Amino acid sequence: MTVTRPARLTGAALCAALALIAAVWILKDLAVLGSPADLAWYWAGDHHFLIRGRSATSLVDPVLLAVSAAAAVAALRSRHAASALAATGTVTLALRLPGLWAPGTGALVTALLALALAAGLIVTAAAGRRPVTASYEQPATRPRTGPAVAAGALLAVSALLVVLWELYWATELPLEITVDRFTGGRSVIKAALAPPPGWLSLVLLALYGTAAVAAFARARHSRAFALLAGVFLAAGGLAEVARTARYELVGRLGDLPAADLLAVLNAYVGLLAGLAVLALLAGRGAPAAAPAPYPPAGMPPPAPPHPPPPGW
């Protein structure tokens, strides 16, 4: 399956609009905080230095900005960008949905715009598909078996870690706070545009699990979903690694409680797993099977077998 040129142009425009929304909010936060380094540390989870204002964005916003820009470029350059457009639209839809009930007019307006654009992106990716008919067109390639299985295993382990951490927090926190982590209640302090932490975990669990299953099956759309999962996995791991380095936690691992030690190890595992998934699936896929050769023009058909088989 390929994507028609009008659908590709429409998808690129929708992705550009999604990237513009994230860019506007990031520029607004830069104007409030006055320092790109402070904003980056806020995205990494360090909120102790904020005395001049509070960021409205979170780590999700620069990741969505990069993902939307990459999807727009893919739509302009490739006839096989349907999976990239669909993956970007689905993840954006899921991450911006909590903005509908978040406090603040800005979060609500942003959520409405992003949801409309993301839904349009999914519809465009589905409606713009067409089968490969011309002989010079090649279908999207499948990922190679070895890299696909390795990436699927890393994503499956990452999904399992998300489940284990949510089970840990469910046992450590009161029921009210546990519910607020998924709904964005008053007990959860977060950036205005950020999804609730439990909701984010559910989205990442669905993304990692879907990408892992698609990678194991070597589906043609697996590369787009796995690369998207790798970006989120690497970005989250990088943020956690930067925060642990800022507080010099690595040098005193022996003094840390068990939960903090596991959190530090999880950060490095997430960063390395995300980078590995990107490296495994960023290359070319398996070559398509060569079509059966045609006999040269003017050549007679092959002679029947002799002696002929029964019923020839």
Side-chain angles (χ1 to χ4, degrees):
M1 302 293 287
T2 60
V3 186
T4 62
R5 180 173 178 79
R8 290 165 52 198
L9 294 177
T10 303
L14 293 174
C15 289
L18 287 173
L20 180 62
I21 292 175
V24 168
W25 278 102
I26 291 173
L27 292 176
K28 182 177 180 297
D29 282 347
L30 284 175
V32 172
L33 299 180
S35 171
D38 287 352
L39 183 58
W41 282 119
Y42 184 91
W43 291 340
D46 183 7
H47 301 168
H48 296 89
F49 61 89
L50 291 182
I51 58 177
R52 297 184 299 276
R54 184 175 177 182
S55 172
T57 59
S58 67
L59 183 64
V60 169
D61 296 280
V63 174
L64 286 181
L65 170 60
V67 167
S68 300
V73 173
L76 293 176
R77 297 185 59 182
S78 174
R79 295 191 300 268
H80 306 298
S83 56
L85 297 178
T88 302
T90 303
V91 171
T92 301
L93 193 70
L95 291 176
R96 293 304 191 192
L97 189 60
L100 294 179
W101 58 82
T105 305
L108 177 60
V109 173
T110 299
L112 290 174
L113 288 175
L115 292 177
L117 293 171
L121 202 56
I122 298 173
V123 172
T124 300
R129 298 175 65 197
R130 66 176 179 85
V132 176
T133 55
S135 59
Y136 59 86
E137 292 181 339
Q138 295 292 331
T141 57
R142 299 179 184 274
R144 298 178 184 273
T145 303
V149 172
L154 291 173
L155 292 171
V157 171
S158 301
L160 178 60
L161 291 177
V162 172
V163 173
L164 293 178
W165 274 111
E166 285 304 314
L167 291 176
Y168 168 77
W169 288 118
T171 58
E172 290 292 320
L173 299 175
L175 178 61
E176 178 184 359
I177 298 179
T178 300
V179 174
D180 286 349
R181 293 186 74 253
F182 291 89
T183 60
R186 295 180 178 179
S187 62
V188 175
I189 301 175
K190 63 180 186 64
L193 298 182
W199 183 280
L200 177 60
S201 296
L202 287 179
V203 174
L204 294 180
L205 174 61
L207 177 60
Y208 296 162
T210 302
V213 172
F216 284 134
R218 294 183 61 227
R220 298 186 188 276
H221 64 272
S222 60
R223 181 178 286 106
F225 281 89
L227 290 176
L228 181 59
V231 169
F232 275 92
L233 188 57
L238 178 62
E240 290 296 327
V241 167
R243 189 165 61 88
T244 58
R246 183 177 177 87
Y247 290 104
E248 300 179 351
L249 299 180
V250 178
R252 48 191 180 92
L253 292 178
D255 302 330
L256 296 178
D260 293 340
L261 176 60
L262 291 176
V264 173
L265 295 178
N266 184 72
Y268 282 90
V269 169
L271 174 59
L272 295 177
L275 294 177
V277 169
L278 294 176
L280 287 169
L281 296 182
R284 293 183 178 272
Y294 290 97
M299 290 292 292
H306 182 78
W312 180 264

